[in-house]
Amino acid sequence: MTKTCLIIFAPLLMLVACKQPEARRPVSAKTGSFMRTSIERNKNLLDYEEKRIDSIIAKDSLHQYHASSNGYWYYFDIRDGTQNYVPKEGDLVKINYDIRSLSEETIYSSEEIGEVHFKVDKEDYFPGLRTAVKLLKEGEKATFLFPSSLAYGYHGDDQRIGTNQPIKSTITLIDIIEKASDSIKTNN
């Protein structure tokens, strides 16, 4: 820190005055109103999307829906009671999935996406998919209803999935190709 000094010469008198620099103050103070508004907007959006999903579930008498602890809903299309192991973080799995709007319009078909190999919780797929696959056993297929926050969020995918668009996705766990080393020890 440098000091600012002022030296005044006057006949027979010399004065020296020094002053510490002062911190600059912001021109305008932040009130946090943007954050409060954003939080309120996101709460309202989630509430609206959950009501839409609840309405879909209420009208669907053919399926038994489950609420996940992650904030989405799902039902099993194919269930396998003979399998015990569900994927864990780091397992390499092979899946197939599609993406539809809540009104059943196809956004990306499973044929278009193809079979996907990925390490559970280690790759950048949409948040709902990353956790949903951990609910399935090998050979199982389930349909998931994801609010936009667990799909592609505010940004969408820059192609066919719009801003704040909730989605429906049917995911099939085709194979658990490789179990992570810590999964083998604890869940073999």
Side-chain angles (χ1 to χ4, degrees):
M1 235 191 302
T2 60
K3 293 182 180 180
T4 305
C5 296
L6 177 65
I7 301 174
I8 300 174
F9 293 101
L12 298 175
L13 181 65
M14 183 170 105
L15 290 171
V16 176
C18 295
K19 153 177 140 172
Q20 294 287 343
E22 291 183 27
R24 293 176 15 174
R25 303 284 178 225
V27 175
S28 63
K30 300 279 184 200
T31 62
S33 64
F34 173 77
M35 286 301 291
R36 281 193 297 277
T37 303
S38 180
I39 290 168
E40 191 61 34
R41 183 177 56 246
N42 288 337
K43 283 181 180 179
N44 291 338
L45 177 64
L46 182 60
D47 185 50
Y48 170 74
E49 290 175 357
E50 286 178 346
K51 285 178 182 171
R52 280 186 65 198
I53 291 170
D54 286 344
S55 173
I56 291 168
I57 292 170
K59 292 176 187 173
D60 186 354
S61 61
L62 298 176
H63 301 104
Q64 179 183 356
Y65 284 84
H66 308 277
S68 79
S69 60
N70 294 302
Y72 52 82
W73 298 261
Y74 65 100
Y75 63 85
F76 286 94
D77 296 289
I78 298 173
R79 194 127 199 214
D80 186 352
T82 64
Q83 300 287 331
N84 291 323
Y85 186 81
V86 293
K88 307 283 187 255
E89 179 180 342
D91 289 356
L92 180 63
V93 298
K94 178 170 44 171
I95 64 167
N96 186 277
Y97 70 99
D98 66 358
I99 298 176
R100 303 181 307 277
S101 68
L102 292 183
S103 57
E104 293 293 338
E105 295 153 354
T106 299
I107 299 171
Y108 294 104
S109 70
S110 59
E111 292 80 19
E112 186 177 359
I113 295 171
E115 290 182 349
V116 175
H117 295 76
F118 79 98
K119 284 198 178 260
V120 177
D121 285 340
K122 301 290 184 183
E123 296 187 44
D124 192 26
Y125 288 92
F126 68 90
L129 177 74
R130 291 194 308 257
T131 60
V133 74
K134 293 189 284 186
L135 298 172
L136 301 173
K137 298 172 188 163
E138 194 172 305
E140 290 187 330
K141 177 180 185 177
T143 298
F144 297 84
L145 291 92
F146 298 110
S148 63
S149 59
L150 295 173
Y152 289 84
Y154 172 74
H155 196 267
D157 76 339
D158 288 331
Q159 294 176 26
R160 297 184 218 164
I161 299 173
T163 299
N164 294 323
Q165 183 173 358
I167 62 171
K168 192 173 198 178
S169 180
T170 299
I171 302 170
T172 305
L173 178 57
I174 299 168
D175 191 15
I176 300 173
I177 299 168
E178 181 182 302
K179 295 177 182 173
S181 59
D182 58 340
S183 293
I184 294 170
K185 293 175 193 169
T186 59
N187 296 304
N188 202 15

